[in-house]
Amino acid sequence: MSGFGVLLGIARHARPKAPMELLDHALVTLEGGVQGDFRGAMRGKPYKRQVTLIERGDWEAATAEVGHALPWQERRANLLVDGVDLPQVRGALVFIGAEVVLEITREADPCERMEALAPGLKAALLPDWRGGACAMVIAGGRIAAGDEIRIEEAWPSHSERSMISVTSAVGASSSART
């Protein structure tokens, strides 16, 4: 699956529980994620939550479900995307603008903070990764609202490809005998 979309918004927060700061553009680095965002630092180990992304449609659907119109940055995600379905698979790549590449690492689980915003919001964000995705920076660079986004799903690992080939070959030889 591949698709094209647009980066609608960029946000960061300097420390836990700090208000989100909206940006028109930002530097994204391998070491620090969105520059100035406290979650982006690698902290000496493979850190799987450097950058968080959420789809505009998912946020709007979740907030409509609970009857509240809330600004997207209240989700506390770094990037708001539109026109693409964020992949719900580890290893998928998200290309932003001309330079930045992110790798999806896991779902961004909604926390109790969402429930404090609106009763039922945490539950409304749970299905189908509505709460967004976490990613690691693979290639850094500058991003800006309005940048094009392209998604590339990960290929199966070598062992998974081998199993697919073996299974396909077994199925083909079984059907050839009948």
Side-chain angles (χ1 to χ4, degrees), residues 1-5 83-85 93 95 148-153:
M1 171 190 173
S2 73
F4 293 93
V84 292
D85 286 326
L93 299 177
F95 296 82
E148 183 178 274
I149 293 177
R150 183 171 50 90
I151 306 289
E152 284 188 12
E153 295 239 2

Side-chain angles (χ1 to χ4, degrees), residues 123-166:
L125 289 168
L126 286 173
D128 268 343
W129 288 41
R130 261 189 185 174
C134 297
M136 282 181 50
V137 179
I138 302 302
R142 297 202 169 274
I143 59 172
D147 279 353
E148 183 178 274
I149 293 177
R150 183 171 50 90
I151 306 289
E152 284 188 12
E153 295 239 2
W155 284 91
S157 69
H158 178 70
S159 60
E160 289 170 318
R161 283 195 304 270
S162 298
M163 280 304 290
I164 292 167
S165 299
V166 168

Side-chain angles (χ1 to χ4, degrees), residues 7-11 21-26 143-147:
L7 177 62
L8 292 181
I10 306 166
E21 176 187 5
L22 291 174
L23 307 167
D24 292 329
H25 60 279
I143 59 172
D147 279 353

